[in-house]
Amino acid sequence: MLSLPTQTYHHDSPPKTSLHSPLFSRPPPSLSLLPTLSLPAPLRIQSLTVSSSSTSPTHFLLSDSQSNSNVLKIAIIGFGNYGQFLAKTLVSQGHTVLAHSRSDHHNETAKKLGVSFYADPHDLCEEHPEIILLCTSIISTKQVLKSLPLQRLKRNTLFVDVLSVKEYAKDFLIETLPDDFDVLCTHPIFGPQSAKNSWKGRSFVYEKVRVGDEESRVSRCENFLDVFTREGCEMVEMSCAEHDFHAAGSQFMTHTVGRVLEMLELESTPINTKGYEALLDLVEKTSGDSFDLYYGLFMYNKSALEMLERLDLCFEELKKQLFGSLHEVVREQLFESPEKGEGLLYAENGPAIGASDILFRSEGALRPQQYQARSSGCVDDSTELKIAIVGFGNFGQFLAKPMVRQGHTVLAYSRTDYSDVAREMGVSFFSNADDLFEEQPEVILLCTSILSTEKVLKSLPLKRLKRSTLLVDVLSVKEFPKNLFLQNLIPDFDILCTHPMFGPESGKKRVEWSGFCF
């Protein structure tokens, strides 16, 4: 039976237009098939049934919100947990979903989800999907993209990534794909763990990096974004650079804290507080994600390193405050309350604790003062150094101030023009590294980021230096710069690897660095 809003045709009294099998694979192409029928616009086909001698009639159903014009053919590359997670919703909305993965065992999962699985990417690309949805890991995506037979795709295919870092994804997509392809960089801020029940209210960030002007390409991009709008996501359009800046805190820091808490093996207790339950919830939400994801969030987001260093500095500062207060207690009980017994600390409701135990545990916190006392006695204050700081950003400027105050000659070089800042500090600024090195500084202090140190070191005109020059780094990792120096510097150069355990944030309130670790 063919059911329409205003009229019904029975099988024994058919209309002039006969029903053929193509009708069951797609909606009627136009209303011209029913010239005598007056229908309100737009036409909404709710159900179509044809009676036959068969005992099981065939049904054609189309939802109110989904028409054939916005049904997409989407190929998911990387059909692991996240690819399957997205596929379920895509299929439920009526889209045609194809999938390819290196693991053949995903074939059975694909069948259960209503997804066509292709073990060979050539076979998949020959199906000419409208959209290639990259659901591979951050580390493997670039390699996977280069392995795809792009020549078998239509030249206006839309490529979409869902990586958690966006500047990196944007750069390699633009670099790898021909100009004919469209590019949409996205980041669903949710996954199989956090949104297993619903996507409603979850953020979906995107940037239309490159979308052609043709109406079909514009509408295709909008139809893909509509997948997430229909599920109740909060759509956020922002640049990839802006995303990474915010994600260093909202995502990388969340995963960092979650992993630390997981290592602590926290368990629920009979006296859970709301805060403690929030910590347990954070562990649950992050523990299901692979280490590759976490590693990618660190390696491929330029802002992640700064966030990690800030966390390290804040934790060190908190420990100093904690042990600083503990030392006051130790001093009072050891030296101001002799009646309680020599060398013993008494807990009010507990056993005595040996003072040596407390001192032993806090020995590390006392070392900076001890080392400072030793060094101050053997350094000749009249000895001045000519120090060249390479990388005159926040940390370079932070180190330069006490060096100038101590009477050392400080030179600086950076890709950014900091000449005005340097002049106010009493530092000689050089915009050319050759000019700087011709001054033959005794010490070269590298204050560049971890990611850029190797590139900067190899770009320096080291042959202009004296062969006895001392090279010093201040990176937060030590084996990497040590190996880098040994591999790229001539044996005549001296090498000193250091890590000041403080910075502009933790040391801004102090005139001196007393109490900080170096």
Side-chain angles (χ1 to χ4, degrees), residues 383-430:
T383 303
E384 297 180 0
L385 296 170
K386 182 185 285 189
I387 304 171
I389 299 178
V390 176
F392 202 57
N394 288 339
F395 199 78
Q397 295 169 26
F398 171 70
L399 295 180
K401 293 176 183 178
M403 293 178 182
V404 172
R405 188 172 62 248
Q406 291 179 18
H408 300 293
T409 301
V410 181
L411 322 175
Y413 162 73
S414 189
R415 290 175 297 180
T416 304
D417 185 4
Y418 290 113
S419 53
D420 292 340
V421 177
R423 191 180 304 110
E424 293 178 3
M425 296 172 60
V427 173
S428 301
F429 185 82
F430 294 80

Side-chain angles (χ1 to χ4, degrees), residues 52 56 75 91 167 206 300 327-328 334 366 387 400 458 495:
S52 67
S56 300
V91 171
E167 275 196 288
Y206 66 95
Y300 300 103
H327 297 153
E328 291 291 332
L334 280 179
L366 296 173
I387 304 171
K458 291 181 178 180
I495 297 172

Side-chain angles (χ1 to χ4, degrees), residues 311-438:
L311 177 65
D312 186 39
L313 292 171
C314 290
F315 188 65
E316 288 298 323
E317 183 64 24
L318 182 62
K319 285 201 299 183
K320 288 183 178 67
Q321 293 178 18
L322 180 63
F323 289 123
S325 299
L326 178 62
H327 297 153
E328 291 291 332
V329 175
V330 173
R331 186 163 51 250
E332 288 178 7
Q333 296 198 37
L334 280 179
F335 303 110
E336 297 178 14
S337 303
E339 68 277 4
K340 289 189 176 182
E342 184 178 358
L344 292 177
L345 296 176
Y346 288 89
E348 187 172 335
N349 296 310
I353 303 173
S356 60
D357 293 336
I358 297 294
L359 294 175
F360 174 78
R361 291 171 190 163
S362 60
E363 183 182 3
L366 296 173
R367 282 176 182 165
Q369 291 89 338
Q370 293 171 350
Y371 285 139
Q372 184 181 17
R374 292 171 188 169
S375 61
S376 61
C378 60
V379 173
D380 183 357
D381 292 338
S382 65
T383 303
E384 297 180 0
L385 296 170
K386 182 185 285 189
I387 304 171
I389 299 178
V390 176
F392 202 57
N394 288 339
F395 199 78
Q397 295 169 26
F398 171 70
L399 295 180
K401 293 176 183 178
M403 293 178 182
V404 172
R405 188 172 62 248
Q406 291 179 18
H408 300 293
T409 301
V410 181
L411 322 175
Y413 162 73
S414 189
R415 290 175 297 180
T416 304
D417 185 4
Y418 290 113
S419 53
D420 292 340
V421 177
R423 191 180 304 110
E424 293 178 3
M425 296 172 60
V427 173
S428 301
F429 185 82
F430 294 80
S431 57
N432 185 294
D434 289 274
D435 294 338
L436 172 72
F437 282 21
E438 285 178 357

Side-chain angles (χ1 to χ4, degrees), residues 26 74 86 104 186 211 225 281 307 390 397 415 420 431:
R26 60 180 66 88
I74 303 172
L86 294 181
D104 289 338
T186 78
V211 179
L225 294 174
D281 185 55
M307 188 61 66
V390 176
Q397 295 169 26
R415 290 175 297 180
D420 292 340
S431 57

